[in-house]
């Protein structure tokens, strides 16, 4: 990267506000002097490749800014090179409430102009550079100001990972600019302390251990308060009655998270609620990986992992970044593939999610918010879609009903749901959402290819496409995986596991994929792979295509009635 030297500048204005670009021919240190830096390119994570293809002049400008040779490259090769290189130049910001997952709150990535992009890293920087939103114009700039004494002709530098004080983490975070071998660092994952789990549940209370739960009077109709309106028209079982006031209800079904378990156990000990204390140990992605590892069995050393076979290797890129870099480098040394899917720990629907084999990109992604890196399933079982004449990725959703922790009582709904990618699968074009992702309901322009398929139609077609592999055997392995997950998640008390609460009942969506693997004899087998677990899942399709669905789950959860309710006890 070329040097940027302090030069004499002039004053500039933004609306009615003066931005003073400090000038001097002598030594200066005036923190109130601010330099304005333009942004050359701003994009969201999913638009980068399209921007480079469609915005006139952008590809050429980025290639020149990044010192990329262009003469011998095709346009596609040049785009790929820019996408690979840009993580040395990317910066990020976001607006809005990130946890709500709205499009407006999604991170924006940007590359400063040629001046800003030339500023090099230093452990002893002489300037700070931060993004600045100018309300009057609605534009985002970067502002730069000196932090120590400098002279005309000095090189301008900044700290690329400002605020990071841990020496090992600094080495890992600087990998995009200063690659270093971290293979001496242990990549073995250890379960964090109880304080780590407690940090996720600071506002949540635990039920009083002194309250004896009797349960509602089943000789009368159970009054139900529903916060999820899609259920209202479908709860027709005469044993239930809808009420508008939660204070009148025997059953509280909330769409948002419930935290007041202690207060509920004291004030209404016979009222039931559709959540368990500390269920975030399975619904938050980094905690899910931690508790799922409790189900690990001894496995071959060459796999480099102590995970259960159904859990992709997962690292928290905030707390385990150096371990991840070491693990990545060990895989690279052994010639193993290094494709990873990086997800926010608290969002669904593929929001702010990336697939990458680029270590520089993976290391930078946590700058836009907490991320986990999960080993990408590079050899998925595919499904041939005749409507697009292609073998595509698909995933499967099972709904799991949890009625008790002690003893563990768990059911799966017999009906499962399928989601399909729209384009042929291959390990390239990693920015192509419709090739690598299956959630098409929320993708603008993808609805025309949205494939709906009933599970009863899927099973014979799957067995036809995969001769010798029977769904009853695969589903048995899926159910074993789900049970092992919940056994692991209830192995320790709250907050390290799902908390005991006689008043609690819950439904979760378990999303999984199928991958090709080999058994101990070298035979090809289908291995279920856990993707994520969701609280309060979208049940619109279930309500639409299975009229008894809501009555079934309410009967199982709140009346312990499983007869002809389309569930399997695990």
């Amino acid at each position: 990267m070329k040097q940027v030297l302090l030069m004499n500048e002039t004053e500039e204005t933004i609306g009615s506000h003066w931005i003073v670009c400090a000038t001097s021919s002598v030594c200066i240190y005036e923190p109130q002097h601010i330099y304005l830096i333009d942004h050359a390119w701003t994009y969201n994570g999913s638009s980068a490749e399209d921007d480079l293809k469609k915005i006139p002049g952008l590809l050429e400008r980025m290639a020149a800014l990044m010192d990329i040779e262009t003469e011998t490259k095709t346009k596609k090769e040049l785009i790929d090179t820019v996408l690979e290189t840009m993580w040395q130049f990317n910066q990020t910001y976001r607006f809005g409430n990130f946890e709500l997952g709205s499009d407006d709150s999604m991170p924006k990535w940007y590359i400063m102009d040629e001046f800003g992009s030339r500023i090099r890293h230093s452990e002893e920087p002489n300037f700070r550079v931060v993004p600045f939103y100018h309300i009057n114009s609605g534009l985002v700039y970067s502002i730069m100001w000196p932090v120590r004494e400098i002279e005309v002709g000095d090189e301008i530098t900044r700290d690329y990972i400002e605020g990071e004080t841990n020496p090992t983490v600094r080495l890992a975070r600087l990998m995009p600019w200063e690659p270093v071998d971290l293979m001496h660092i242990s990549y073995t994952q250890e379960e964090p302390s109880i304080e780590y789990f407690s940090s996720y549940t600071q506002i949540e209370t635990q039920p009083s251990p002194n309250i004896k739960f009797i349960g509602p009077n089943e000789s009368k109709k159970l009054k139900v308060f529903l916060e999820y309106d899609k259920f209202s028209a479908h709860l027709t079982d005469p044993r239930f009655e809808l009420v508008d006031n939660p204070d009148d209800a025997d059953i509280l079904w909330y769409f948002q998270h419930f935290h007041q378990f202690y207060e509920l156990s004291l004030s209404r000990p016979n009222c039931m609620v559709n959540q368990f204390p500390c269920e975030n140990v399975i619904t938050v992605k980094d905690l899910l990986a931690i508790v799922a590892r409790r189900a690990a069995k001894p496995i071959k050393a060459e796999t480099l992992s102590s995970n259960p076979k159904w859990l992709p290797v997962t690292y928290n890129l905030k707390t385990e970044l150096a371990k991840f870099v070491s693990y990545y480098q060990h895989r690279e040394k052994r010639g193993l593939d290094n494709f990873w899917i990086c997800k926010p720990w608290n969002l669904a629907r593929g929001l702010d999610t990336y697939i990458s084999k680029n270590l520089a990109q993976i290391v930078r992604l946590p700058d836009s918010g907490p991320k986990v890196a999960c080993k990408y399933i590079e050899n998925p079982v595919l499904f041939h879609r005749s409507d697009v004449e292609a073998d595509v990725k698909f995933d499967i959703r099972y709904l799991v009903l949890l009625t008790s922790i002690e003893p563990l009582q768990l059911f799966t709904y017999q009906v499962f749901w399928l989601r399909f990618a729209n384009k042929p699968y291959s390990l390239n074009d990693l920015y192509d959402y419709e090739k690598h992702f299956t959630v098409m309901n929320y993708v603008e322009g993808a609805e025309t290819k949205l494939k709906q398929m009933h599970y009863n139609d899927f099973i014979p077609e799957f067995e036809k496409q995969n001769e010798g592999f029977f769904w009853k055997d695969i589903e048995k392995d899926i159910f074993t995986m789900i049970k092992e997950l919940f056994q692991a998640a209830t192995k320790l008390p709250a907050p390290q596991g799902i908390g005991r609460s006689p008043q609690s009942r819950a439904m979760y969506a378990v999303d999984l994929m199928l991958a090709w693997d080999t058994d101990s004899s070298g035979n090809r087998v289908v291995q279920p792979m856990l993707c994520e677990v969701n609280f309060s899942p979208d049940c619109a399709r279930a309500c639409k295509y299975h009229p008894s669905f809501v009555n079934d789950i309410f009967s199982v959860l709140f009346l312990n009635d499983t007869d002809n309710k389309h569930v399997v006890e695990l």
Side-chain angles (χ1 to χ4, degrees):
M1 186 182 289
K2 295 178 181 177
Q3 293 184 355
V4 177
L5 304 180
L6 179 65
M7 305 293 290
N8 288 342
E9 301 289 344
T10 59
E11 294 176 338
E12 300 194 24
T13 62
I14 311 177
S16 59
H17 300 273
W18 288 90
I19 301 297
V20 181
C21 299
T23 68
S24 177
S25 60
V26 295
C27 186
I28 68 166
Y29 175 54
E30 296 290 345
Q32 72 271 26
H33 289 184
I34 297 175
Y35 295 78
L36 176 66
I37 303 175
D38 242 337
H39 293 177
W41 180 26
T42 301
Y43 66 95
N44 61 46
S46 60
S47 72
E49 187 172 24
D50 280 347
D51 285 359
L52 292 169
K53 290 178 179 177
K54 297 175 181 178
I55 298 176
L58 177 63
L59 178 60
E60 292 74 16
R61 184 179 183 185
M62 289 299 107
L65 183 149
M66 299 175 192
D67 292 328
I68 296 172
E69 185 274 324
T70 61
E71 291 185 2
T72 62
K73 289 182 171 61
T74 65
K75 182 175 181 179
K76 179 161 190 329
E77 290 172 338
L78 188 56
I79 289 173
D80 290 343
T81 305
V82 169
L83 293 173
E84 184 86 4
T85 308
M86 67 185 186
W87 296 98
Q88 298 178 30
F89 300 88
N90 270 330
Q91 315 291 321
T92 186
Y93 63 85
R94 68 171 181 255
F95 298 113
N97 189 331
F98 187 60
E99 292 189 4
L100 295 181
S102 67
D103 291 339
D104 290 340
S105 70
M106 289 299 101
K108 297 289 186 183
W109 290 93
Y110 66 94
I111 292 177
M112 291 185 288
D113 66 13
E114 285 74 4
F115 173 83
S117 293
R118 298 295 184 191
I119 303 173
R120 296 202 295 188
H121 169 75
S122 173
E123 293 294 309
E124 297 180 353
N126 49 27
F127 276 82
R128 285 193 69 195
V129 180
V130 298
F132 170 76
Y133 176 61
H134 187 256
I135 296 176
N136 290 10
S137 64
L139 297 176
V140 179
Y141 305 88
S142 288
I143 56 175
M144 179 181 78
W145 70 94
V147 294
R148 64 184 176 87
E149 201 169 76
I150 53 177
E151 295 182 7
V152 170
D154 284 353
E155 180 183 1
I156 295 173
T157 60
R158 57 185 286 247
D159 185 353
Y160 284 176
I161 52 171
E162 192 174 76
E164 182 59 68
T165 58
N166 184 298
T168 303
V169 178
R170 282 190 70 87
L171 288 175
R173 291 187 61 187
L174 282 171
M175 290 294 294
W177 306 281
E178 299 176 0
V180 63
D181 186 349
L182 295 184
M183 290 178 63
H184 62 282
I185 294 174
S186 171
Y187 55 76
T188 302
Q189 295 173 293
E190 300 172 353
E191 183 155 322
S193 67
I194 190 172
E195 287 74 22
Y196 183 83
F197 291 91
S198 297
S199 67
Y200 284 81
T201 57
Q202 292 177 355
I203 63 173
E204 186 170 290
T205 59
Q206 298 297 312
S208 170
N210 302 319
I211 300 299
K212 182 175 177 59
F213 174 72
I214 300 173
N217 184 354
E218 296 181 10
S219 63
K220 64 181 183 69
K221 290 186 176 182
L222 298 183
K223 297 179 179 180
V224 180
F225 172 77
L226 280 176
E227 200 174 64
Y228 187 51
D229 57 6
K230 288 186 174 64
F231 281 178
S232 300
H234 299 275
L235 185 59
T236 58
D237 189 317
R239 294 174 293 179
F240 300 98
E241 175 187 352
L242 294 178
V243 295
D244 295 328
N245 189 341
D247 294 335
D248 299 330
D250 301 306
I251 297 168
L252 301 170
W253 190 281
Y254 289 116
F255 188 69
Q256 302 298 326
H257 289 288
F258 179 80
H259 301 291
Q260 292 76 42
F261 293 97
Y262 180 78
E263 294 80 356
L264 183 68
S265 67
L266 291 180
S267 63
R268 304 173 65 190
N270 295 326
C271 181
M272 293 183 282
V273 65
N274 71 318
Q275 296 173 45
F276 275 84
C278 299
E279 61 186 16
N280 59 357
V281 297
I282 57 172
T283 61
V284 175
K285 295 179 181 64
D286 64 321
L287 298 181
L288 172 64
I290 292 168
V291 301
R293 285 197 289 266
R294 297 172 189 163
K297 298 178 175 65
I299 57 177
K300 296 178 181 178
E302 58 266 27
T303 63
L304 298 176
S305 170
S306 59
N307 281 14
K309 293 197 72 172
W310 43 261
L311 178 71
V313 175
T314 302
Y315 281 88
N316 184 322
L317 293 179
K318 181 178 180 181
T319 62
E320 299 177 309
L321 182 63
K323 286 179 177 288
F324 167 77
V325 172
S326 174
Y327 184 77
Y328 180 101
Q329 292 177 336
H330 275 87
R331 290 187 64 88
E332 188 173 50
K333 183 177 181 180
R334 294 195 181 194
L336 302 174
D337 82 274
N338 253 323
F339 290 90
W340 295 82
I341 181 166
C342 301
K343 314 173 185 178
W345 58 264
N346 62 340
L347 295 179
R349 293 169 35 197
L351 292 170
D352 196 30
T353 299
Y354 299 79
I355 299 163
S356 180
K357 60 177 181 178
N358 181 358
L359 181 59
Q361 178 182 5
I362 298 171
V363 167
R364 294 295 314 283
L365 286 175
D367 291 356
S368 68
K371 299 285 190 302
V372 294
C374 305
K375 183 64 190 66
Y376 191 51
I377 301 169
E378 73 280 359
N379 56 345
V381 177
L382 303 177
F383 186 85
H384 184 77
R385 282 184 59 172
S386 57
D387 58 329
V388 295
E389 286 299 323
D391 294 340
V392 302
K393 285 179 61 175
F394 69 95
D395 68 10
I396 308 166
R397 168 168 286 190
Y398 279 86
L399 293 178
V400 177
L401 308 178
L402 179 62
T403 60
S404 172
I405 297 297
E406 294 180 349
L408 180 63
Q409 194 168 34
L410 197 63
F411 302 86
T412 59
Y413 201 64
Q414 285 181 321
V415 176
F416 58 86
W417 286 268
L418 299 143
R419 299 179 297 196
F420 300 87
N422 283 344
K423 295 182 180 179
Y425 172 76
S426 62
L427 277 173
N428 57 21
D429 300 323
L430 300 181
Y431 282 84
D432 191 336
Y433 184 93
E434 294 187 66
K435 173 178 285 194
H436 293 281
F437 292 85
T438 59
V439 183
M440 299 299 161
N441 311 56
Y442 311 98
V443 180
E444 184 178 352
E447 287 82 354
T448 55
K449 295 182 181 179
L450 179 63
K451 181 176 179 60
Q452 303 276 14
M453 191 174 195
H454 196 273
Y455 80 110
N456 273 338
D457 298 323
F458 169 81
I459 292 173
E461 183 61 28
F462 175 89
E463 293 181 340
K464 178 182 175 182
Q465 294 185 19
N466 299 278
E467 189 174 353
F469 293 91
F470 300 103
W471 188 256
K472 63 180 178 63
D473 299 326
I474 295 171
E475 190 168 61
K476 181 180 177 182
D477 291 338
I478 292 172
F479 290 168
T480 298
M481 177 194 78
I482 294 173
K483 185 170 184 179
E484 289 179 352
L485 168 63
F486 279 85
Q487 287 173 335
T490 56
K491 188 174 183 179
L492 296 177
Q496 295 163 288
I498 302 175
R500 180 183 180 277
S501 172
Q503 293 177 268
S504 295
R505 310 287 187 271
M507 176 178 69
Y508 307 101
V510 176
D511 294 340
L512 61 103
M513 291 181 61
L514 303 176
W516 292 113
D517 200 356
T518 54
D519 63 16
S520 57
S521 301
N523 300 313
R524 199 181 194 204
V525 295
V526 173
Q527 174 63 52
M529 300 297 291
L530 179 67
C531 296
E532 60 185 44
V533 179
N534 290 299
F535 153 78
S536 193
D538 183 359
C539 293
R541 287 172 66 184
C543 294
K544 181 177 180 179
Y545 295 108
H546 303 279
S548 69
F549 169 72
V550 178
N551 289 334
D552 288 344
I553 64 170
F554 269 74
S555 297
V556 174
L557 288 174
F558 302 110
L559 293 174
N560 299 314
D561 175 10
T562 60
D563 292 341
N564 300 314
K565 297 302 183 293
H566 308 97
V567 295
V568 176
E569 184 170 8
L570 300 184

